[in-house]
Amino acid sequence: MIVLPVILALSIPFVSAQANDSAVQIEAIEAHFTQAALVPELLATFDPSSILTINFDGVGDLSPGQALTQDQVAPTPTIQITAANSSVDLTGNFTLAMVDADIVGADESNITRHWLENSVVVSNGEVSNSSATAITSYAGPAPASGSGPHRYVVILYQQPSSFSPPSEFSQPNLGVSKFDLNGYVKDSQLGPIVAVRSVSHISKNFFHSSFLTGKLLYCRSRY
């Protein structure tokens, strides 16, 4: 969370540095999403205003160069959000989604829904689902062995008062399945993307995270 200047003028350079750092990280994320063919293939418009940090129990915040097993990313993570600047409004409801965009070059018919929760909120800098509707509860990355580097994307959308999910996505407890992400966003009248995080990997049993930006991770197999 960006700290606002309170009394001491000495706090102003610190705040500015934080804001500038967040802005630089967002610019880098935008560039890498384009390089990974996630924009415009998966996300036609992409102008995030915040950064997500993903934390797995027993692992902590995902960090550069961190080796992880499939078991380590199996539990539902906690997600923190940092606004790029003090003008970003993180009040109200949001929709949280995680999709597997498959390998580079795959078309939209290959997108798989791994997580979809409506009406999450941001509380004390953390995405909270205590009063959310879990259409699809979190299901960790699990690509088939030898299928190539899949691109997993966690996205937080603004959820306006006009939000109305399609009837087939109005009830909880749907399993992992193929998913028309852009069709869902359009039909349910979701707002713009607030923040994203991308993780991709090859191996079914072991993968390795490599640093691309402050908050954008790619995971690649060691074999």
Side-chain angles (χ1 to χ4, degrees):
M1 179 180 295
I2 301 302
V3 180
L4 298 177
V6 182
I7 298 176
L8 297 177
L10 291 175
S11 65
I12 295 176
F14 173 71
V15 173
S16 299
Q18 280 189 308
N20 290 339
D21 181 62
S22 295
V24 168
Q25 290 182 43
I26 286 176
E27 288 178 1
I29 289 172
E30 291 173 329
H32 285 296
F33 265 62
T34 300
Q35 292 173 10
L38 290 167
V39 176
E41 286 80 356
L42 176 67
L43 306 173
T45 58
F46 184 65
D47 186 23
S49 59
S50 303
I51 300 169
L52 297 181
T53 299
I54 299 178
N55 180 295
F56 286 98
D57 187 32
V59 176
D61 294 347
L62 297 189
S63 61
Q66 186 173 1
L68 298 167
T69 65
Q70 187 172 318
D71 287 343
Q72 287 177 307
V73 295
T76 304
T78 58
I79 297 181
Q80 295 178 322
I81 184 166
T82 303
N85 55 66
S86 60
S87 68
V88 176
D89 183 9
L90 295 177
T91 61
N93 290 336
F94 301 87
T95 287
L96 178 67
M98 184 176 86
V99 298
D100 174 7
D102 209 304
I103 62 173
V104 173
D107 60 36
E108 288 192 9
S109 66
N110 289 321
I111 296 173
T112 302
R113 183 184 66 259
H114 278 253
W115 198 6
L116 181 62
E117 295 196 1
N118 297 325
S119 300
V120 302
V121 298
V122 175
S123 177
N124 296 320
E126 185 171 304
V127 176
S128 170
N129 62 359
S130 59
S131 59
T133 301
I135 304 302
T136 297
S137 297
Y138 174 81
S145 298
S147 62
H150 286 226
R151 299 163 298 162
Y152 290 87
V153 185
V154 178
I155 313 171
L156 191 69
Y157 290 95
Q158 286 185 352
Q159 185 180 302
S161 58
S162 59
F163 172 74
S164 179
S167 58
E168 63 269 32
F169 294 106
S170 61
Q171 299 298 319
N173 303 319
L174 293 181
V176 173
S177 65
K178 296 299 182 182
F179 187 49
D180 181 359
L181 174 65
N182 290 318
Y184 179 81
V185 170
K186 179 180 178 181
D187 293 343
S188 61
Q189 302 182 61
L190 280 173
I193 293 172
V194 178
V196 294
R197 180 76 174 268
S198 175
V199 179
S200 67
H201 66 86
I202 296 175
S203 171
K204 179 179 180 181
N205 299 314
F206 184 80
F207 53 93
H208 184 269
S209 61
S210 60
F211 184 66
L212 288 184
T213 78
K215 298 299 175 185
L216 175 62
L217 294 175
Y218 273 71
C219 300
R220 303 194 181 280
S221 171
R222 285 189 173 182
Y223 52 86

